[in-house]
Amino acid sequence: MSVRQATLERLASFPNVTMTQGIPLSRCTRFGIGGPAEVYFETSDESSFAALLAAVRESGTNYVVIGGGTNLIVADEGFEGIVLRFTASAIDRSGQIVRARAGAELQALVDFSIEQGLKGLETMTGIPGSVGGAIYGNAGAYGHSIDERVRLVRFFDGGRVRRFTNAECEFRYRESIFKKHKDWIVFEAELAMDIAPVEELRASAEKIFAIRLEKYPLTMKCAGSIFKNLLLAELSEGVRAQVPERVIREGKVPSAYFLEQIGAKGMRIGDIRVADYHANLIYNEGGGSARQLCELIADLKERVRVHFGLELEEEVQYVGFTPGGARRPSPILL
Ligand SMILES: Cc1cc2nc3c(=O)[nH]c(=O)nc-3n(C[C@H](O)[C@H](O)[C@H](O)COP(=O)(O)OP(=O)(O)OC[C@H]3O[C@@H](n4cnc5c(N)ncnc54)[C@H](O)[C@@H]3O)c2cc1C
């Protein structure tokens, strides 16, 4: 549903809010893909964000909340409705507890912790995006994810601000309760850290960063891994029997293994291509579209389904598509 003029005027009257109409969402996504947002609001003011979100919901207008746009596929047609972004980015420390606002870059949080001699996030160095996005998707790498450190999450449920303990966040591999309640917006996370020498933490982060840079050059237009890895325990007997022991890591089978077997590496549609060196990495060489990206994803899923009887699940999130995402890349609802 298009944004009504009366709604627009009401929303624009909230303090400390920036409003833009028709901004190309390709500018807000790492893929560099996505049509215009009918209206885009940004604020670092928590009360204004809460008032905005409550008013948007009351108006019945379609909306979506984005963070750094590093894990998004946005439709070529854009988003008919309101795109919201919470940009507060303060990070502070009290003893071994670090508090980060959701709009902070995850890397800023990692760097802050390292420089403070606080251990626990250094393996997450190089994961782009915001703290809010990281909590939403329980981001992680090298055998660790952010949930291991989260003590409390403060969020807005559309009516009031609430606090959830780690257990209440229902974290699992690349999952959290916020994925099930897309209208609950993370404002802040509190993380419990250990003490360690700064030099040790720096060395560990630098090593990881160097490896990551080879895989994900800074200018690469992508979303990291397109598909989630698979938990071995959740695979059927038939699929498990086809997986060699050597590819299993920390109880997971990389999606890349299945994708490699169906010849994904190097596949392309226009400027959208699968990396030659990593079957679960799709990137935009420059002129790719969401339609091409969705077609390639659908093709890969179909091949894995036919070959292994297995359904790959996207880690990446869709904006501006009807439910069903890649299978039906027509606009516009979230
Ligand atoms: C090069 C590259 C490498 C990557 N490597 C990794 C990796 O190693 N490990 C990993 O886990 N991920 C990785 N990713 C994926 C991505 O960085 C993470 O998913 C990141 O946490 C997304 O954060 P974001 O702020 O960009 O969120 P966005 O992409 O903007 O949004 C993702 C989802 O989060 C939701 N969201 C954003 N902010 C909030 C909020 N405040 N409250 C509630 N929901 C919110 C959005 O609604 C959306 O559904 C990589 C991506 C790239 C481009």
Side-chain angles (χ1 to χ4, degrees):
M1 185 173 82
S2 278
V3 187
R4 286 190 293 266
Q5 191 56 31
T7 306
L8 210 55
E9 281 166 18
R10 182 171 174 214
L11 300 179
S13 72
F14 291 120
N16 309 317
V17 161
T18 309
M19 182 186 88
T20 321
Q21 284 176 274
I23 186 177
L25 287 169
S26 53
R27 278 196 221 151
C28 308
T29 62
R30 169 88 180 237
F31 260 125
I33 284 175
E38 193 179 353
V39 191
Y40 173 91
F41 283 101
E42 194 177 278
T43 182
S44 60
D45 181 327
E46 205 171 288
S47 321
S48 288
F49 187 92
L52 261 178
L53 185 56
V56 170
R57 288 174 58 163
E58 197 185 299
S59 73
T61 314
N62 293 326
Y63 72 92
V64 63
V65 174
I66 64 167
T70 64
N71 209 22
L72 298 180
I73 298 179
V74 177
D76 298 318
E77 295 80 1
F79 188 76
E80 190 182 338
I82 295 174
V83 176
L84 298 163
R85 185 166 178 202
F86 179 60
T87 55
S89 59
I91 301 171
D92 55 56
R93 167 192 186 174
S94 169
Q96 282 173 238
I97 302 296
V98 174
R99 284 190 318 157
R101 314 302 301 282
E105 281 190 19
L106 181 63
Q107 187 63 50
L109 171 61
V110 171
D111 291 343
F112 176 89
S113 307
I114 291 173
E115 292 314 312
Q116 296 279 322
L118 295 171
K119 181 179 166 70
L121 295 175
E122 60 286 353
T123 60
M124 270 170 253
T125 199
I127 302 180
S130 65
V131 170
I135 296 288
Y136 170 92
N138 192 15
Y142 294 91
H144 297 280
S145 44
I146 196 160
D147 66 299
E148 291 166 34
R149 295 291 159 180
V150 171
R151 200 172 79 134
L152 269 183
V153 174
R154 206 160 57 74
F155 66 98
F156 182 62
D157 73 359
R160 67 193 171 100
V161 176
R162 295 164 66 183
R163 282 180 171 74
F164 268 3
T165 60
N166 182 300
E168 288 172 313
C169 290
E170 295 179 9
F171 289 116
R172 285 182 296 115
Y173 168 64
R174 298 294 175 270
E175 289 290 335
S176 76
I177 197 161
F178 303 101
K179 264 198 184 175
K180 292 186 210 139
H181 295 271
K182 291 182 189 283
D183 49 347
W184 290 1
I185 307 309
V186 176
F187 277 165
E188 187 176 83
E190 253 183 48
L191 303 106
M193 312 291 285
D194 295 324
I195 303 284
V198 173
E199 285 311 321
E200 182 191 301
L201 299 175
R202 270 196 207 134
S204 153
E206 276 164 19
K207 214 160 93 190
I208 287 172
F209 193 65
I211 298 169
R212 290 187 65 101
L213 265 186
E214 295 215 341
K215 189 164 153 192
Y216 306 117
L218 291 176
T219 52
M220 181 179 255
K221 294 172 188 260
C222 67
S225 299
I226 284 286
F227 299 105
K228 287 182 181 177
N229 292 328
L230 296 122
L231 298 172
L232 186 67
E234 290 178 2
L235 294 179
S236 69
E237 275 300 319
V239 175
R240 245 190 274 185
Q242 301 176 71
V243 178
E245 197 72 29
R246 67 180 159 79
V247 303
I248 302 167
R249 278 181 300 174
E250 292 132 15
K252 294 189 208 86
V253 184
S255 309
Y257 170 73
F258 299 104
L259 291 161
E260 261 177 51
Q261 311 311 307
I262 56 97
K265 282 180 177 173
M267 272 174 67
R268 68 185 303 154
I269 298 181
D271 265 5
I272 301 293
R273 63 175 300 170
V274 181
D276 291 330
Y277 57 91
H278 195 321
N280 193 15
L281 171 59
I282 298 183
Y283 63 97
N284 174 15
E285 281 186 325
S289 66
R291 190 166 295 273
Q292 291 168 332
L293 185 49
C294 290
E295 264 176 43
L296 187 54
I297 290 172
D299 187 8
L300 294 172
K301 287 179 80 167
E302 179 64 13
R303 287 172 191 240
V304 170
R305 193 180 300 125
V306 167
H307 196 89
F308 292 100
L310 177 72
E311 194 64 35
L312 290 184
E313 188 189 341
E314 290 92 322
E315 186 172 320
V316 77
Q317 304 290 297
Y318 292 95
V319 171
F321 295 91
T322 47
R327 311 286 309 278
R328 284 183 287 156
S330 58
I332 222 81
L333 300 172
L334 180 68

